[in-house]
Amino acid sequence: MPSLHVAAHAFLFLWALLVGSRLRAVLLAMTILTFLGSIATGWHYAVDSWAGLMLAALALLPAFLLLKVLRRTAPNASPDA
């Protein structure tokens, strides 16, 4: 507890969502398959997978806040710079 397999995939998906990567759909599919697969195979309970999702979101919160501050202080900067 929690499922770090789910957390790792969810973290990558959320990061791709945050930076606008084209891999969002693939990473979302991987997250869902890992979530369901870990429960179906009996490696984790559902609550473990939910906890993994929450852990990924918590881990990404500082990066989200930092990007928000950086984008606010440099509104004319391109996101690729």
Side-chain angles (χ1 to χ4, degrees):
M1 161 84 162
S3 172
L4 296 181
H5 298 98
V6 173
H9 286 137
F11 182 86
L12 292 173
F13 165 69
L14 292 172
W15 181 261
L17 197 64
L18 186 63
V19 298
S21 173
R22 294 180 183 175
L23 295 175
R24 290 181 302 232
V26 172
L27 292 170
L28 177 61
M30 287 174 50
T31 302
I32 292 170
L33 288 173
T34 305
F35 184 97
L36 296 174
S38 67
I39 297 168
T41 59
W43 282 100
H44 290 285
Y45 294 111
V47 70
D48 299 343
S49 295
W50 286 111
L53 291 175
M54 294 300 113
L55 183 64
L58 255 168
L60 200 59
L61 184 62
F64 172 76
L65 294 173
L66 179 65
L67 282 175
K68 196 168 188 92
V69 167
L70 290 175
R71 287 178 181 161
R72 184 174 298 196
T73 59
N76 295 330
S78 71
D80 297 327

